[in-house]
Amino acid sequence: MTSLSIHVPASSANLGPGYDTLGVALTLANEFLIQPAPEKTTLHINNHPSGSLHSLCLEMIQAAEELFRRHTGKPALPLAITLDDHVPIARGMASSATIRLAILTALNHLWDTQLSSRELVLWASQLEGCSDNAAASYFGGLTASGIIQGALLYYQFEMPDAIDFVAVSPVSQVKTDQARAVFAPTISRADAVHTLNRGILLACALASGAFDDVGALLDDKIHQPDRQANIPALRPLFDVIAAAKDAGALGGYLSGSGSTMMALTFQNKESVAQAMQEAIRRHGMEAEIRFLKVDNQGIQIHEIP
């Protein structure tokens, strides 16, 4: 039986004002070994003993399998899945998107259904609730994406290896559905205009390499303020961003719905990380630091004879 090795990078979404639209793939990945199974789909997770994680991941796998069958008309194909788990769950780095993309990609390959990359990412985005992480993790680099008239529309840009993404992840998890529940029911015209302005300018600056302008464009008034004010794990957010900039970073933002807080820098990444961690500690919290680059390759799949 054919075995598939699938590498799916983590991604960081929103980048401040690019809510549910911008994402960037990172040099941190989940690794999957997938092959047909004789009876039912099974999952083994390396690097993580938690039974609750196993159940959550298996639910996502089963939902992706069901969506694939519904769209293609193919019968059930049980899978034996081994996951080398490196992307932290509920930290705003697209752990769920890596799982959904891996399963849909594996089934497409094993059934030889020859679905396009746009279709696979569209289906993963439907499972995710938005396209920002799924597009970035699949295509790599910086992506701007959305579901427009029922189809995936995306633009992808490579980013330079010289830029460092400093990820500081508090111990506390933040689940996406909970993070979406804290928003006010309406926003002001001024806040909407502010965020649209910054988001469009940020996308243009990143795509054209105008990184000197990025620091002033990472703020938004739609999702970060409400999340910072209402989710305890995110209370340090603006202090962390200010500390990163004082240490020499271009700027910072909340990665996805958190709890990871991200800074972009071309220099002094260790000093930036230390400043961010100290800002979190002043709030009585501990955090894990990761130094990451942009993954411009995206998903990778290989057959193992």
Side-chain angles (χ1 to χ4, degrees):
M1 294 188 296
T2 299
S3 295
L4 302 175
S5 171
I6 304 179
H7 166 103
V8 192
S11 55
S12 178
N14 298 333
L15 283 76
Y19 184 62
D20 280 4
T21 302
L22 294 180
V24 61
L26 300 170
T27 51
L28 178 72
N30 276 340
E31 308 286 349
F32 299 82
L33 180 64
I34 301 177
Q35 65 180 14
E39 295 181 0
K40 65 178 183 178
T41 293
T42 61
L43 171 65
H44 175 75
I45 304 177
N46 295 328
N47 311 326
H48 206 299
S50 171
S52 60
L53 176 62
H54 183 277
S55 298
L56 179 61
C57 291
L58 197 56
E59 287 178 9
M60 288 189 284
I61 289 166
Q62 291 167 344
E65 291 175 323
E66 170 59 29
L67 184 144
F68 184 89
R69 292 195 300 270
R70 189 166 68 247
H71 282 300
T72 64
K74 296 293 185 182
L77 177 61
L79 302 173
I81 304 162
T82 300
L83 164 60
D84 280 337
D85 175 49
H86 301 290
V87 181
I89 196 165
R91 296 297 195 282
M93 300 182 74
S95 174
S96 61
T98 70
I99 293 170
R100 288 161 172 154
L101 287 169
I103 299 307
L104 293 170
T105 300
L107 289 170
N108 182 47
H109 194 91
L110 293 168
W111 277 116
D112 193 24
T113 43
Q114 300 185 30
L115 297 165
S116 70
S117 57
R118 287 179 185 265
E119 289 175 293
L120 293 173
V121 176
L122 172 64
W123 297 353
S125 300
Q126 291 169 340
L127 292 168
E128 286 281 295
C130 56
S131 64
D132 47 10
N133 284 123
S137 290
Y138 191 95
F139 296 112
L142 170 74
T143 58
S145 65
I147 299 175
I148 309 299
Q149 298 180 345
L152 177 78
L153 179 65
Y154 78 95
Y155 299 90
Q156 189 263 3
F157 306 91
E158 291 193 2
M159 292 187 68
D161 190 60
I163 191 166
D164 288 299
F165 282 71
V166 181
V168 178
S169 304
V171 173
S172 300
Q173 296 182 344
V174 175
K175 295 182 179 179
T176 302
D177 54 350
Q178 295 173 343
R180 289 183 181 272
V182 303
F183 296 147
T186 61
I187 59 174
S188 70
R189 176 180 177 180
D191 287 350
V193 170
H194 174 102
T195 304
L196 282 168
N197 174 265
R198 299 321 191 261
I200 293 168
L201 289 172
L202 176 64
C204 293
L206 290 171
S208 62
F211 293 105
D212 288 344
D213 298 330
V214 166
L217 301 174
L218 291 169
D219 65 310
D220 87 294
K221 294 185 179 295
I222 289 181
H223 72 105
Q224 291 186 155
D226 283 350
R227 285 170 166 168
Q228 186 273 340
N230 292 289
I231 300 174
L234 304 184
R235 295 289 167 80
L237 175 62
F238 297 127
D239 290 340
V240 169
I241 291 172
K245 293 182 75 170
D246 287 345
L250 297 176
Y253 63 92
L254 179 66
S255 183
S257 56
S259 58
T260 296
M261 304 168 198
M262 194 78 71
L264 287 71
T265 186
F266 280 102
Q267 60 183 353
N268 305 327
K269 63 181 180 181
E270 292 85 3
S271 299
V272 169
Q274 182 179 357
M276 294 169 73
Q277 192 171 50
E278 288 175 355
I280 287 178
R281 284 176 175 161
R282 287 195 289 272
H283 286 261
M285 302 180 189
E286 292 296 327
E288 184 176 5
I289 296 172
R290 293 178 177 86
F291 296 111
L292 304 170
K293 298 282 190 179
V294 176
D295 181 330
N296 286 311
Q297 301 301 310
I299 195 169
Q300 298 176 45
I301 180 169
H302 301 284
E303 282 193 7
I304 303 174

